[in-house]
């Protein structure tokens, strides 16, 4: 008889905090590039999130990093918003498309890898317009009623919190989860 496999403690913490309505945006930081052990299997963090944690509860799951562009790990019929930017890598084009997905969908998840490259820390006067725009957009997502009402979730992955914009990390609507 197969026993159910418990989630890693950090994943269970994320799940509980989401179900309590604490936040719809989470920053996962720490040991994010190591493998995640779940039962007898190991996988990357993104694969664990898409194939285990979010698989049964999300209708659409989009993953984005600036090097490879956006992709769907799971896509609901009729879920649009990314078709025009698939293969695109520039954040000023992809983030608005991800917002359309989050605002126009129910039970969607967006995973942003290397979040520190999207919303870097630093003095805003020395940042590019694209960096400042991305920081503002992510900050706005954390409190958009349409995202929360749609039962949507945003997961930012950053190895080191100090490399991520303080406007995101210190936002009370953003929950920070340490991956040991």
């Amino acid at each position: 008889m197969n026993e159910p496999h418990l989630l890693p403690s950090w994943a269970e913490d994320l799940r509980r905090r989401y179900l309590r309505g604490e936040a719809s945006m989470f920053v996962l930081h720490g040991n994010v590039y190591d493998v995640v052990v779940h039962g007898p299997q190991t996988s990357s963090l993104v694969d664990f999130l898409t194939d285990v944690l979010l698989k049964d509860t999300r209708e659409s799951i989009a993953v984005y990093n600036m090097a490879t562009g956006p992709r769907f790990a799971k896509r609901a019929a009729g879920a649009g918003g990314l078709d025009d930017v698939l293969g695109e890598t520039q954040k000023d084009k992809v983030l608005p498309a991800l917002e359309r997905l989050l605002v126009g969908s129910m039970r969607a998840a967006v995973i942003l890898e290397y979040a520190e490259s999207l919303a870097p820390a630093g003095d805003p006067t020395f940042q590019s317009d694209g960096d400042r725009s991305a920081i503002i957009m992510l900050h706005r997502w954390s409190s958009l009623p349409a995202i929360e009402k749609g039962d949507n979730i945003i997961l930012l992955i950053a190895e080191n919190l100090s490399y991520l914009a303080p406007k995101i990390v210190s936002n009370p609507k953003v929950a920070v989860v340490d991956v040991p």
Side-chain angles (χ1 to χ4, degrees):
M1 185 158 122
N2 291 336
E3 292 182 19
H5 297 289
L6 299 175
L7 293 174
S9 60
W10 63 266
E12 183 59 34
D13 177 46
L14 187 154
R15 188 186 74 78
R16 276 194 312 269
R17 292 168 83 179
Y18 179 78
L19 291 174
R20 281 195 310 251
E22 184 177 319
S24 58
M25 181 180 284
F26 293 84
V27 176
L28 293 103
H29 73 98
N31 195 18
V32 295
Y33 300 116
D34 201 355
V35 295
V36 176
V37 178
H38 182 250
Q41 296 187 269
T42 59
S43 57
S44 71
L45 177 61
V46 171
D47 288 343
F48 172 79
L49 293 171
T50 60
D51 299 341
V52 177
L53 191 64
L54 301 171
K55 181 182 177 186
D56 295 332
T57 61
R58 302 293 113 190
E59 293 178 8
S60 295
I61 303 170
V63 180
Y64 171 60
N65 76 54
M66 289 177 46
T68 60
R71 68 178 173 87
F72 276 105
K74 182 178 180 183
R75 187 173 188 172
L82 286 182
D83 292 334
D84 55 337
V85 295
L86 289 175
E88 183 69 56
T89 59
Q90 295 177 325
K91 64 184 172 184
D92 62 328
K93 294 181 181 175
V94 176
L95 290 178
L98 290 171
E99 182 173 319
R100 287 191 302 274
L101 173 71
L102 288 165
V103 170
S105 298
M106 298 292 291
R107 297 178 53 211
V110 169
I111 300 170
L112 302 174
E113 298 178 284
Y114 304 97
E116 67 278 7
S117 65
L118 297 169
D123 186 337
T125 57
F126 295 111
Q127 291 178 328
S128 70
D129 287 344
D131 288 344
R132 289 193 308 266
S133 177
I135 292 166
I136 291 167
M137 183 172 282
L138 292 175
H139 186 270
R140 199 169 44 80
W141 287 4
S142 70
S143 58
L144 270 180
I147 291 175
E148 190 174 334
K149 286 179 187 172
D151 192 22
N152 298 324
I153 187 168
I154 303 123
L155 302 171
L156 285 75
I157 299 172
E159 187 172 23
N160 191 327
L161 281 181
S162 65
Y163 297 156
L164 190 58
K167 189 170 191 74
I168 306 297
V169 176
S170 64
N171 182 345
K173 293 260 189 185
V174 176
V176 177
V177 177
D178 182 28
V179 179

